[in-house]
């Protein structure tokens, strides 16, 4: 049997809000034209001007933040990075943080009225650092979720490589759900089904394919720990340390106990950026999906100007 799915991208939200015991805020999709004919798309939660901006990881999209956004109960933007979700693919396939940050800056210029508390997971965290370094006027605080530059991809990210190996189109969404769960991605099966539905589309020939361009590039990009160069960096290139060092806003690293950032990685960040704070959360790499309320509490504390300490 194929995965039972809802018919719109917002159909899952009422049940998620009910499960959390929170009211369902207004949610809408917004789209901004960019130079060259591309667009950047986002989800806007609430009716007030956004105070928080969420940036997802590679191969995900804005809906990965749905449960965290509902738990947070703050006006916010969850942006689809270029090549993901409903944002345009890049013909040059350049999905490195500094390039992605340009579109995010355009979105914030258009859709926000104050500096944002930017929360970025994985690739989104490195993009947030590039954004804060290049446009400090847009970022009041940076929360980086389970990523550091130059990370060793021989452990956790190897699962990403296995996930994207093989075909890029499938007969049913159930195939993708089974594969994701076998490799430890997602939470419960219904949660994984929801994530797969929101991250795939049906082609004219009836086959299922990922909405994000990254699926066609990821296996090659993650095949070895290749940090690239300053001129042609990979998504994990160590130039990210330069971006983090240039950030003038407060920085918090969220390290997932079952994620990709080791204790040594976190210590290296604190060695390079002594003022950075590290918070440890019991979660997998996709903290926003496996510990959404803990992450929402952390973000709410940051938004309120208080610190939750070094563990949750």
């Amino acid at each position: 049997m194929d995965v039972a799915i809802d018919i719109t991208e917002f159909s899952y939200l009422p049940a998620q809000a009910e499960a959390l015991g929170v009211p369902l805020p207004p949610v809408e999709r917004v789209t901004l034209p960019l130079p060259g004919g591309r667009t950047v798309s986002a989800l806007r939660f609430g009716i007030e001007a956004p105070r928080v901006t969420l940036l997802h990881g590679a191969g995900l999209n804005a809906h990965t933040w749905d449960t965290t956004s509902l738990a947070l109960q703050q006006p916010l933007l969850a942006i689809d990075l270029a090549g993901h979700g409903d944002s345009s693919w890049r013909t040059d396939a350049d999905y490195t943080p500094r390039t992605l940050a340009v579109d995010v800056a355009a979105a914030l210029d258009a859709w926000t009225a104050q500096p944002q508390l930017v929360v970025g997971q994985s690739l989104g965290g490195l993009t947030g650092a590039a954004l804060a370094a290049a446009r400090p006027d847009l970022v009041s605080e940076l929360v980086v979720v389970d990523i550091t530059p130059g990370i060793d991809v021989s452990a956790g990210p190897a699962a990403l490589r296995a996930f994207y190996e093989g075909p890029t189109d499938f007969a049913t969404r159930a195939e993708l759900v089974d594969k994701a769960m076998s490799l430890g991605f997602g939470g419960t099966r219904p949660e994984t089904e929801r994530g797969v539905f929101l991250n795939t589309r049906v082609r004219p020939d009836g086959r299922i394919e990922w909405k994000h361009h990254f699926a066609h590039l990821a296996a090659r990009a993650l095949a070895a720990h290749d940090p690239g160069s300053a001129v042609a960096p990979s998504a994990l290139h160590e130039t990210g340390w330069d971006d983090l060092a240039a950030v003038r806003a407060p920085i918090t690293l969220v390290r997932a106990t079952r994620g990709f950032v080791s204790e040594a990685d976190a210590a290296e960040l604190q060695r390079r950026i002594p003022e950075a704070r590290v918070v440890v959360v019991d979660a997998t790499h996709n903290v926003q999906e496996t510990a959404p309320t803990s992450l929402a509490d952390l973000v709410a504390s940051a938004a309120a100007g208080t610190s939750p300490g070094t563990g949750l």
Side-chain angles (χ1 to χ4, degrees), residues 194-270:
R194 182 178 68 239
V196 167
F197 170 65
L198 293 169
N199 210 13
T200 56
R201 59 190 170 205
V202 181
R203 296 191 322 208
D205 63 1
R207 299 283 290 178
I208 305 297
E209 70 173 2
W210 293 110
K211 294 178 74 172
H212 58 89
H213 197 187
F214 193 80
H216 303 270
L217 311 168
R220 183 178 70 229
L222 295 169
H225 185 198
D226 178 13
S229 66
V231 176
S234 75
L236 300 175
H237 185 249
E238 292 186 357
T239 52
W241 287 122
D242 296 333
D243 292 333
L244 283 166
V247 174
R248 295 295 170 257
I251 297 173
T252 297
L253 170 68
V254 176
R255 186 177 75 82
T257 55
R258 292 166 283 133
F260 294 172
V261 174
S262 67
E263 291 185 10
D265 294 324
E268 177 64 9
L269 180 135
Q270 289 193 300

Side-chain angles (χ1 to χ4, degrees), residues 31-302:
T31 302
L32 177 71
L34 297 171
R38 293 187 304 109
T39 60
V40 60
S41 187
L43 302 176
R44 180 160 53 197
F45 284 71
I47 57 175
E48 297 179 10
R51 295 191 288 269
V52 177
T53 290
L54 309 174
L55 305 177
H56 62 76
L60 300 174
N61 60 71
H63 280 292
T64 190
W65 297 103
D66 282 353
T67 306
T68 301
S69 298
L70 291 170
L72 188 55
Q73 291 287 298
Q74 297 215 18
L76 61 83
L77 285 172
I79 296 177
D80 283 333
L81 298 177
H84 296 75
D86 284 10
S87 292
S88 299
W89 292 12
R90 294 185 60 92
T91 56
D92 61 4
D94 181 358
Y95 299 116
T96 50
R98 290 181 180 179
T99 297
L100 294 172
V102 174
D103 289 0
V104 175
L108 297 188
D109 281 334
W111 294 329
T112 67
Q114 64 187 68
Q116 297 291 288
L117 194 171
V118 174
V119 184
Q121 184 258 342
S122 200
L123 178 60
L126 299 179
T127 300
L131 171 72
R135 290 290 307 274
D137 57 306
L138 296 176
V139 181
S140 61
E141 186 161 349
L142 177 64
V143 177
V144 178
V145 180
D146 208 51
I147 194 69
T148 58
I151 193 171
D152 180 0
V153 302
S154 64
L160 283 176
R161 183 171 64 252
F163 187 54
Y164 289 118
E165 283 176 346
T168 56
D169 61 277
F170 303 84
T172 69
R173 287 186 168 100
E175 291 181 37
L176 283 171
V177 173
D178 291 341
K179 188 171 185 178
M181 296 196 71
S182 72
L183 292 169
F185 293 104
T188 66
R189 187 171 185 89
E191 290 168 341
T192 307
E193 288 179 357
R194 182 178 68 239
V196 167
F197 170 65
L198 293 169
N199 210 13
T200 56
R201 59 190 170 205
V202 181
R203 296 191 322 208
D205 63 1
R207 299 283 290 178
I208 305 297
E209 70 173 2
W210 293 110
K211 294 178 74 172
H212 58 89
H213 197 187
F214 193 80
H216 303 270
L217 311 168
R220 183 178 70 229
L222 295 169
H225 185 198
D226 178 13
S229 66
V231 176
S234 75
L236 300 175
H237 185 249
E238 292 186 357
T239 52
W241 287 122
D242 296 333
D243 292 333
L244 283 166
V247 174
R248 295 295 170 257
I251 297 173
T252 297
L253 170 68
V254 176
R255 186 177 75 82
T257 55
R258 292 166 283 133
F260 294 172
V261 174
S262 67
E263 291 185 10
D265 294 324
E268 177 64 9
L269 180 135
Q270 289 193 300
R271 184 188 71 79
R272 291 172 178 259
I273 308 169
E275 63 273 20
R277 187 166 60 100
V278 175
V279 177
V280 180
V281 177
D282 182 17
T284 64
H285 180 58
N286 291 349
V287 179
Q288 71 281 2
E289 296 178 0
T290 56
T293 55
S294 293
L295 185 57
D297 288 345
L298 186 152
V299 174
S301 295

